Amino acid sequence: MVVSKTPSINRFLTVNANQITHMSSVDRQIMANAIRILSADAVQQANSGHPGAPMGMADIAEVLWSDFFNHNPADPKWPNRDRFILSNGHGSMLIYSLLHLSGYDVSLDDVKNFRQLHSKTPGHPEYGYTPGIETTTGPLGQGIANAVGMAIAEQKYAAEFNTAEHALVDHFTYVFMGDGCMMEGVSHEACSLAGTLGLGKLVAFWDDNGISIDGEVGGWFTDDTQGRFEAYGWQVIADVDGHDAASISAAVKAARADQRRPTLICCKTVIGKGSPSKEGSESCHGAPLGQDELALVRERLDWSAEPFHVPADVYQAWDAKTAGQTKQAEWQAMFDAYAAAHPDNAKEFERRIQGHLPANWAKDAAKIVADTNTAAATLATRKSSLNALNDFGPLLKELIGGSADLAGSNYTIWSGSEGISRDNKGGNYVYFGVREFAMAAICNGLSLYGGLIPYAGTFLVFSDYMRNGMRMSALMKQPVIYVLTHDSIGLGEDGPTHQPVEHCASLRLIPNMSLWRPCDAVESVVSWKVAIENQSQPSSLVFSRQNLPHQERTDRQIADIERGGYILRDCEGEPSLILIATGSEVALAMDSVSKLEDKGERVRVVSMPCTDLFDAQDAAYKSDVLPLSCERRIALEAGSSDYWYKYVGLRGAVIGMTSFGESAPADQLFVHFGFTVENVVSTAAGLV
């Protein structure tokens, strides 16, 4: 692709301040100063926070929200709203000020309660706490990656539902990002993909103030950022004065006019703008200005109002409720006309936006599980996962996923997959490339957009690369499905660099993360079913490379898979020994039973594919499966041993991994590390 030289803002600057579309009796500089003062007051009262970014980006925010931003404060979930992401989430008082001033359900008391326990205004923007917050930001770089996901979702919905007469889905995704976001690798990954896909309704504003926590960034950040984004295939608008309304407005208009490419608007700003002693310095980045400096700010900005007092005319100038309700009413009238002309499409749109599964889902999913059990196949669970995708995929138009350049190993491309590209915006499969971290963060954006079920595939060992994105899925309660294959030393010759050891235990420790390690095709399809139905947490589905045998079950046992742990094989009377296993080690446990019985043991085998679901069961069920009367227990998993002592107790044992793996054929490795019937029998003999 041939990319032209970065255009200066002068190329687009054909308006002056009097021609900007904003209409108000209050000067727009006063409106921007309201953000500065409110933000500085809130940080001062909390005695912590980051005043520099809100004060430095106030002018950009005022132009965007006054003249371009399409939203309705009375309905923060209006489907056709523009999305606004503050990727540099430490500057959270910027967005809280915008929400409060424009009329969202964020009161002045909420602003005064900044950074306090259970407030609507936590230290960083958190999804679900505050109306109008589209995603949780703060871990730098992830906000822009979330925005890429939202922009993919917007173009997918538009391609699926829009008609020549009705532009049902037609909005922009706007992102504010700072130098820290630019430095984080996840932003490089995500923005590279955004350019390749031609996400023309994604507009990012770079707050190029040259300052980070450690001071002037010239000592550690000298990238040619403009050239880098041009190389990604973005439109880059350089030399924008981030404190001049005309320059900002012209840049936004140019960005919106080019919908073939995402746009980066490079805004030169002064951090802490308005603070006489601290602007332009790291001293205003992450600490209150102090009462004396706040007094100087008020003097500099000619702001006579007391702390947390916004004049009535400023509130009136900012109020977006009437305009927002009008815009949404116009959209609703269009939707009603669309529904009359295309009733089936309208119902499908509403179903998906509301997050409902298809009406026949429960019946169809139950049949798929039953059919899988009837097939009784011996398969690698990664192949069982593909079979589940092939079965569930045709039922779910909202299913969208991809792999980090490992589709041939993860088996994430199912029979109905259609790649998303610059020329095919309505597909359902994203070729993420080798970008694990961005993949997770983009999937978070797809999920946050609403009405989509995203899945992301890679090797389990590479979950390390995307762990913080997975953590954010859990923190935001987003039901992203992570397809993590090659689950143990069983992948063999690729060796310890590719053999996950600590990864299952590590992911199980993330609050609100559900992890499945199924032992066969039936548990695999159930794990997919439960993950799809789960509306409030992400799921990590961990699958094997090697073939695993089918386990016989009754209908009751199949139903109990969804409880996370269940009795797969029982004995006569009270057990003298309980084997607890997951994944490939369930077969080992079952193979060990006869030898143990020859030694006089009464053996119960418990398959526990999902420990968090088992832990959530009532005490009666858990004690039925793992009775306190039987303290002789062995847990088997080809992963870190330590996690399993919570189930086996002080008198039990764990056959697991206490070191990294080795490079060798899988069957040799299992013998080498003690995953054998002989070792199970020997370990049982050693239990008191």
Side-chain angles (χ1 to χ4, degrees), residues 35-326:
I35 297 173
R36 293 187 168 97
I37 295 294
L38 201 55
S39 298
D41 282 345
V43 171
Q44 188 64 43
Q45 175 146 311
N47 198 31
S48 72
H50 301 76
M55 297 176 75
M57 299 193 79
D59 299 302
I60 306 168
E62 188 279 324
V63 170
L64 177 65
W65 278 57
S66 294
D67 295 348
F68 299 100
F69 194 54
N70 200 31
H71 64 129
N72 181 10
D75 185 1
K77 294 297 186 182
W78 171 34
N80 200 43
R81 68 192 182 279
D82 288 337
R83 270 61 169 180
F84 176 76
I85 312 300
L86 186 68
S87 190
N88 47 340
H90 55 270
S92 55
M93 267 312 305
L94 173 64
I95 193 167
Y96 297 149
S97 297
L98 288 165
L99 295 171
H100 169 68
L101 292 168
S102 61
Y104 285 79
D105 184 18
V106 179
S107 69
L108 195 59
D109 284 340
D110 293 325
V111 174
K112 292 178 181 179
N113 213 23
F114 178 53
R115 286 186 161 231
Q116 305 309 302
L117 184 64
H118 301 316
S119 76
K120 281 186 180 179
T121 51
H124 289 79
E126 293 189 37
Y127 177 80
Y129 270 68
T130 318
I133 298 296
E134 301 285 0
T135 182
T136 299
T137 56
L140 294 177
Q142 288 200 60
I144 177 64
N146 295 163
V148 171
M150 294 178 189
I152 292 172
E154 187 274 339
Q155 69 173 21
K156 174 176 171 58
Y157 265 89
E160 285 190 69
F161 291 101
N162 287 359
T163 66
E165 297 80 18
H166 305 106
L168 202 62
V169 181
D170 182 18
H171 61 80
F172 286 83
T173 301
Y174 297 105
V175 191
F176 281 9
M177 54 195 297
D179 291 323
C181 292
M182 287 295 192
M183 286 184 254
E184 283 287 359
V186 65
S187 71
H188 298 238
E189 295 179 19
C191 292
S192 170
L193 183 60
T196 298
L197 296 179
L199 301 179
K201 300 180 87 171
L202 173 63
V203 180
F205 297 79
W206 173 29
D207 181 30
D208 181 15
N209 60 35
I211 297 292
S212 65
I213 292 176
D214 286 348
E216 296 183 8
V217 301
W220 49 87
F221 180 49
T222 58
D223 299 12
D224 179 2
T225 298
Q226 297 166 20
R228 173 157 61 89
F229 274 77
E230 283 183 331
Y232 291 158
W234 287 52
Q235 175 184 210
V236 178
I237 302 175
D239 305 321
V240 176
D241 182 344
H243 303 299
D244 178 72
S247 294
I248 298 163
S249 182
V252 177
K253 289 179 179 178
R256 289 163 59 97
D258 184 349
Q259 295 188 14
R260 299 176 298 107
R261 302 174 289 175
T263 296
L264 177 69
I265 300 175
C266 305
C267 298
K268 276 293 183 183
T269 62
V270 177
I271 190 172
K273 176 74 170 175
S275 173
S277 306
K278 298 188 176 184
E279 66 179 14
S281 164
E282 68 273 14
S283 62
C284 66
H285 169 85
L289 298 179
Q291 294 292 0
D292 291 344
E293 185 67 14
L294 261 175
L296 295 176
V297 171
R298 282 179 153 77
E299 183 179 342
R300 165 80 74 85
L301 301 182
D302 194 22
W303 190 275
S304 58
E306 295 297 313
F308 298 108
H309 179 79
V310 179
D313 58 345
V314 177
Y315 270 129
Q316 184 178 1
W318 267 110
D319 190 356
K321 293 192 294 293
T322 300
Q325 289 167 354
T326 299

Side-chain angles (χ1 to χ4, degrees), residues 460 463 467 470 484 503-510 513 515:
L460 175 59
S463 63
R467 182 181 173 84
M470 299 176 77
L484 306 171
H503 297 75
C504 280
S506 158
L507 292 174
R508 287 179 180 126
L509 293 177
I510 298 177
M513 170 66 76
L515 183 138

Side-chain angles (χ1 to χ4, degrees), residues 77 81 83 85 127-128 133-136 146-147 149-150 153 441-452 454 472 476-480:
K77 294 297 186 182
R81 68 192 182 279
R83 270 61 169 180
I85 312 300
Y127 177 80
I133 298 296
E134 301 285 0
T135 182
T136 299
N146 295 163
M150 294 178 189
I442 289 168
C443 283
N444 283 337
L446 290 166
S447 180
L448 288 159
Y449 186 90
L452 296 170
M472 296 300 286
M476 294 189 287
K477 301 180 180 179
Q478 293 305 299
V480 177

Side-chain angles (χ1 to χ4, degrees), residues 379-382 487-488 490-491 544-548 584-585 670:
L379 293 170
T381 52
R382 61 172 175 158
D487 67 343
S488 72
L491 72 86
S544 72
R545 178 194 183 195
Q546 72 274 27
N547 288 342
L548 302 181
S584 51
E585 287 65 66
F670 280 118

